[in-house]
Amino acid sequence: SNAEENGGGGGAGAIYFNRNGDVVDYKTLLRGTTRNCSGGKTPWNTWVSCEEHRNGKCWQVEPRGRRSPRKTSLTPDTGDYESFAYDVRNAREPRFFVTEDNNRGALRRFTPFNPNWSDPWNILHGGGTLEYLVLQPRNGNEWDGTYYWTRDRNRARGNAESFYRFSEGLDVHNNELFFTSKKLKSLFILNLDGNTYRRFSTDRGL
C-alpha cells in the first residue's frame, strides 16, 4: 500500500495474507517520504515506491522488512515520479522505466552496468546509463511515429511537454511498453524491439 500524504507523512506498507486469503498482519515499511504514488514491483519481488512531488525520489522497499528502504539510481535527480516497470528479457542488459507526472516529465530508462543477479537488490543502486524518451510523430500525425532515447534530459522534457505530458500508468508486456498521459487522455504503446510507437485515445478505448 502507498500513502500520498504531504510533508513527510507518506510512505509504503505491506499487507500480509495467509493461504486462505485472510489478512494476518500489516507493517509500514517506508516512512518519512512524501506523496508516494503508484510505483511498481521489481522482477525479484521488491517494491519501488515513487514520490510524486518536486523533490521526489524512487525508493526500493523489501516487503518482508529484511532490508532497509533505499533511494535508487533510477532518480539521481528529483521529480514528480509516478510508476515503475521493467524489461528483463535480456538479463545481461535489463531495462527499468519510470514515468513522471509533470507537464515536462520525461519517461526515463535506466540500464545498469554489470547487473549481478545473485544479489538483484543492488541492481537498482549501482551505476548505469540514464536516458529519456523522445517521440517523433509521423509527418505531423499525432497517432503514431518513431522514438529514440537521449541522455539530454532538457531535450526530452521539451518533447514530453509537446507530446506526452503528465505521464502516469506504466507497464511492460513482452516487447511492448504501455504508458498513459492523463492530460492528453491517451495510451502510448512503444515497440521495445524497434523504434515505433502508437497512440490511442483513452476516451474511446483501443
Side-chain angles (χ1 to χ4, degrees):
S1 65
N2 60 289
E4 295 194 45
E5 295 294 325
N6 290 314
I15 302 172
Y16 302 89
F17 302 85
N18 65 19
R19 66 180 64 187
N20 299 316
D22 303 314
V23 176
V24 296
D25 200 2
Y26 174 83
K27 294 179 182 178
T28 299
L29 300 172
L30 175 64
R31 302 176 184 270
T33 52
T34 297
R35 295 191 63 189
N36 295 76
C37 206
S38 174
K41 184 182 76 69
T42 69
W44 48 91
N45 294 319
T46 61
W47 187 258
V48 172
S49 183
C50 301
E51 292 183 280
E52 187 188 350
H53 68 100
R54 60 184 292 181
N55 295 315
K57 293 284 189 177
C58 290
W59 299 74
Q60 185 173 196
V61 181
E62 209 291 313
R64 298 169 186 82
R66 295 171 181 168
R67 298 194 193 223
S68 298
R70 187 176 171 190
K71 294 177 185 177
T72 69
S73 300
L74 300 164
T75 53
D77 43 13
T78 59
D80 299 276
Y81 301 118
E82 179 81 23
S83 297
F84 166 86
Y86 57 84
D87 174 16
V88 294
R89 290 174 298 154
N90 181 349
R92 291 178 295 181
E93 193 175 52
R95 311 283 199 183
F96 302 93
F97 306 92
V98 176
T99 52
E100 185 177 355
D101 189 1
N102 185 283
N103 190 51
R104 288 170 54 81
L107 192 156
R108 62 184 54 204
R109 180 179 76 174
F110 175 71
T111 306
F113 300 143
N114 303 315
N116 178 12
W117 288 97
S118 64
D119 185 16
W121 168 272
N122 286 312
I123 289 176
L124 294 182
H125 301 293
T129 301
L130 196 59
E131 299 166 291
Y132 306 90
L133 176 66
V134 175
L135 297 182
Q136 297 178 301
R138 177 176 57 87
N139 297 325
N141 178 0
E142 59 183 300
W143 299 105
D144 60 34
T146 60
Y147 72 88
Y148 66 92
W149 301 94
T150 179
R151 299 182 71 174
D152 185 340
R153 189 186 185 197
N154 286 331
R155 173 180 293 182
R157 284 169 63 84
N159 184 263
E161 185 175 18
S162 297
F163 300 117
Y164 64 96
R165 56 192 181 274
F166 293 100
S167 55
E168 287 205 329
L170 173 69
D171 202 3
V172 172
H173 180 67
N174 294 329
N175 68 322
E176 293 183 318
L177 181 148
F178 302 78
F179 74 96
T180 60
S181 164
K182 69 179 181 185
K183 187 70 172 181
L184 301 179
K185 298 180 180 180
S186 294
L187 169 70
F188 292 84
I189 304 177
L190 275 58
N191 179 351
L192 295 175
D193 292 338
N195 68 331
T196 60
Y197 76 90
R198 295 169 291 156
R199 174 185 167 191
F200 301 90
S201 169
T202 56
D203 279 339
R204 299 191 302 268
L206 297 178

